[in-house]
Amino acid sequence: MLSPRISLGEFLRSRRERLVPEDAGLPSHGRRRTPGLRREEVAQLANIGTSWYTSLEQGRSVNPSEDVLNNIATALQLTEDERRYLHLLARPVEQSKLETSELSVALKRTIIALDPNPAFIMEKWWDLLFWNEAAELVFRLPSFSTNIQQGPNWLRRFLTDPELKSNTSDWENKAKIMIANFRTDYAFYSNDEHFKNLIEEFTQVSVLFRETWPRHDVQVVTDCHKQWHDPRIGEMEFEHVVLQPSTELDVKIMIYTASAETAKRLASLRRGSSNLISFIE
């Protein structure tokens, strides 16, 4: 698995190769043997030395300042998500080991109380730690009340579950967005061995992941409107919100607030929350 410095070099190269001189206001001197800008052109636009920029792309041990990184981001016309990703790769933050053995009862009760709005708690590797019955129904999750030992991985399921693939409209585009979200989270933990193992696993089991991951596309999970159809439930409509508890920095709370019609439909289909309540008491 590649080191953060090598990943940084690959990311810079991928973004350099997607630009042409005209995009950057530079003259074009005929046909080029390789796509995109040349290294010296990026260095010129970022007002840094060509050899220094080349060292960055080659994964050598250099320590760019925040200003230099911002200049490179501007030269490569990075999005805000890509700019943050560049900073994380260049200056990785040491993270403490995540302890996921216990979530607070208050947090679990909050997830249950959100029913019939689907909600779940996801840790940094995208394993699900807790979810309510609406999430079980909408996302075809196993019953949490059966006391399962390990929650499913959110990305693994989407990439490998044939039922999800066949029942999800525009599955490939949604999967690419999820992979971009996953790469964004990975940048926070680029030295984490379990993250690296997951990337190797997904590369082996998913052709789409294998083709998409090297593109270095990144995208932060944001609040948004979601709408899709499920053959069991019908048309569904949600407002998606992502929250992060102040005391649980390595977990995210994913909430899908249903429209009135969707909530009514889910409420009529769910079993009720008594099983989950008794399970956590």
Side-chain angles (χ1 to χ4, degrees):
M1 181 54 60
L2 300 179
S3 70
R5 292 191 183 279
I6 298 298
S7 294
L8 170 63
E10 289 193 346
F11 175 66
L12 290 172
R13 184 163 56 254
S14 71
R15 292 307 175 262
R16 172 170 61 84
E17 290 177 350
R18 74 179 179 182
L19 296 175
V20 296
E22 291 80 3
D23 293 333
L26 296 173
S28 178
H29 300 292
R31 188 174 179 180
R32 299 188 173 212
R33 291 179 296 175
T34 57
L37 298 179
R38 298 186 176 100
R39 287 172 176 168
E40 57 267 27
E41 291 171 331
V42 176
Q44 174 189 339
L45 291 168
N47 197 29
I48 58 177
T50 300
S51 61
W52 198 90
Y53 176 78
T54 299
S55 295
L56 268 182
E57 272 205 14
Q58 292 178 344
R60 297 177 188 172
S61 183
V62 293
N63 296 300
S65 67
E66 185 172 342
D67 286 342
V68 166
L69 291 173
N70 285 332
N71 288 346
I72 293 173
T74 300
L76 293 175
Q77 301 180 22
L78 302 187
T79 66
E80 283 304 309
D81 290 347
E82 290 170 339
R83 184 183 292 263
R84 295 189 198 97
Y85 182 71
L86 171 65
H87 280 265
L88 285 169
L89 286 179
R91 309 170 79 180
V93 178
E94 290 297 324
Q95 300 286 336
S96 59
K97 183 178 179 181
L98 174 64
E99 297 292 342
T100 60
S101 56
E102 287 295 333
L103 293 171
S104 70
V105 170
L107 193 53
K108 291 179 180 179
R109 286 185 176 276
T110 298
I111 298 301
I112 294 171
L114 287 167
D115 218 302
N117 299 297
F120 58 84
I121 302 172
M122 183 172 74
E123 45 88 282
K124 68 177 182 179
W125 299 302
W126 285 38
D127 289 340
L128 303 193
L129 302 178
F130 196 80
W131 53 92
N132 62 15
E133 290 187 7
E136 179 183 323
L137 173 63
V138 170
F139 301 118
R140 302 171 184 261
L141 295 173
S143 173
F144 196 90
S145 59
T146 58
N147 194 16
I148 60 175
Q149 296 300 311
Q150 175 68 44
N153 182 277
W154 191 237
L155 182 56
R156 181 190 290 118
R157 287 182 70 254
F158 202 80
L159 292 174
T160 63
D161 189 318
E163 187 176 15
L164 277 176
K165 186 174 182 178
S166 63
N167 288 309
T168 303
S169 61
D170 198 17
W171 175 86
E172 183 172 323
N173 185 58
K174 288 182 172 67
K176 288 179 179 178
I177 292 173
M178 289 183 69
I179 293 169
N181 297 153
F182 187 76
R183 182 177 273 285
T184 302
D185 285 357
Y186 162 69
F188 285 94
Y189 311 98
S190 53
N191 291 313
D192 184 282
E193 285 301 317
H194 188 61
F195 245 120
K196 295 175 182 179
N197 291 337
L198 284 173
I199 293 167
E200 290 180 356
E201 175 197 338
F202 298 158
T203 300
Q204 292 296 319
V205 302
S206 169
V207 173
L208 182 66
F209 187 92
R210 186 160 60 247
E211 294 174 347
T212 303
W213 188 255
R215 298 174 188 169
H216 290 267
D217 293 332
V218 292
Q219 184 173 325
V220 174
V221 179
T222 57
D223 300 349
C224 61
H225 181 81
K226 290 183 177 289
Q227 188 172 1
W228 71 90
H229 176 84
D230 186 288
R232 305 160 304 150
I233 304 170
E235 295 296 329
M236 295 184 292
E237 193 172 0
F238 301 96
E239 296 300 329
H240 180 220
V241 177
V242 183
L243 304 177
Q244 189 170 48
S246 60
T247 57
E248 303 279 355
L249 297 181
D250 283 326
V251 303
K252 296 176 184 176
I253 302 175
M254 315 289 276
I255 303 172
Y256 294 77
T257 304
S259 66
E261 182 59 33
T262 301
K264 185 187 304 182
R265 192 177 297 118
L266 294 177
S268 68
L269 291 172
R270 68 192 179 93
R271 299 189 310 273
S273 58
S274 58
N275 287 339
L276 273 179
I277 292 176
S278 61
F279 178 72
I280 67 173
E281 286 181 340

